[in-house]
Amino acid sequence: MANLDIKIREAELADLELILAFISQKSEFDGSKNLLTATADKLQETLFCQPPLVRVLLAEVAGKAVGFALFHSSYSSLLAQPCLWLDDLFVQAHFRGMGVGTALLKYLAQIAESTNCGRIEWTVNTGNAPGIAFYEKQGARILENIRVCRIEGSAIAQLANK
């Protein structure tokens, strides 16, 4: 692992285009570029409203952003505690394996600890073996008995208006 000077910081409004570029890069990595409908305007409405719906961390090396984490609060009724949901974690390919992802997760864990969160949760594509190995190395358990359920687009309206 390289000995990089990695700085983690909260994103600001001036980072909007950078955040959108990272989301685009992640969607390409995930093979879901065709699902990307995020725009700078839509991101501004949700990232920088009051209170913000989500937060973004940027990982910088030598003053250049090389990765990001997008997360929001959630809640566990079983724990009766707040939790964090990590929606996106992405590090540019040439910086993977150099501690950037670990630095982002560590910072997120510090936020979770300081806000009494009971857990941090996220999904990982079953075909992303390097990602799964990385997460397990960080102490994550990969839950085999849980599946993501999703209602989206017109199905939301159909259900709402039944």
Side-chain angles (χ1 to χ4, degrees), residues 137-156:
K137 184 177 176 186
Q138 306 309 312
R141 287 184 306 122
I142 308 300
L143 305 177
E144 299 295 330
N145 62 332
I146 307 254
R147 297 289 184 259
V148 174
C149 299
R150 180 180 291 166
I151 300 174
E152 60 188 343
S154 61
I156 295 172

Side-chain angles (χ1 to χ4, degrees), residues 82-141:
C83 301
L84 290 182
W85 180 266
L86 176 60
D87 201 61
D88 290 322
L89 178 72
F90 179 78
V91 175
Q92 292 176 327
H94 52 287
F95 284 96
R96 292 183 193 140
M98 297 184 176
V100 177
T102 301
L104 283 163
L105 281 178
K106 179 179 178 179
Y107 197 96
L108 193 62
Q110 291 168 346
I111 292 170
E113 184 176 51
S114 71
T115 55
N116 193 36
C117 288
R119 59 183 169 219
I120 303 169
E121 294 181 299
W122 63 94
T123 61
V124 61
N125 188 305
T126 57
N128 184 358
I132 292 169
F134 167 74
Y135 294 136
E136 288 177 329
K137 184 177 176 186
Q138 306 309 312
R141 287 184 306 122

Side-chain angles (χ1 to χ4, degrees), residues 24-135:
S24 179
Q25 290 171 43
K26 182 175 185 306
S27 72
E28 193 168 319
F29 174 82
D30 289 341
S32 57
K33 187 87 167 173
N34 62 321
L35 301 176
L36 180 64
T37 62
T39 64
D41 288 340
K42 287 167 81 173
L43 287 172
Q44 183 172 346
E45 289 174 12
T46 54
L47 296 177
F48 300 103
C49 58
Q50 289 304 320
L53 299 177
V54 296
R55 293 166 63 187
V56 175
L57 302 175
L58 295 172
E60 297 179 333
V61 174
K64 181 179 179 338
V66 299
F68 85 115
L70 186 146
F71 66 100
H72 58 85
S73 297
S74 62
Y75 186 81
S76 169
S77 59
L78 297 175
L79 300 175
Q81 278 183 275
C83 301
L84 290 182
W85 180 266
L86 176 60
D87 201 61
D88 290 322
L89 178 72
F90 179 78
V91 175
Q92 292 176 327
H94 52 287
F95 284 96
R96 292 183 193 140
M98 297 184 176
V100 177
T102 301
L104 283 163
L105 281 178
K106 179 179 178 179
Y107 197 96
L108 193 62
Q110 291 168 346
I111 292 170
E113 184 176 51
S114 71
T115 55
N116 193 36
C117 288
R119 59 183 169 219
I120 303 169
E121 294 181 299
W122 63 94
T123 61
V124 61
N125 188 305
T126 57
N128 184 358
I132 292 169
F134 167 74
Y135 294 136

Side-chain angles (χ1 to χ4, degrees), residues 8-21:
I8 306 296
R9 68 172 178 87
E10 294 260 355
E12 302 170 352
L13 184 57
D15 299 311
L16 204 52
E17 291 297 331
L18 175 63
I19 296 165
L20 183 57

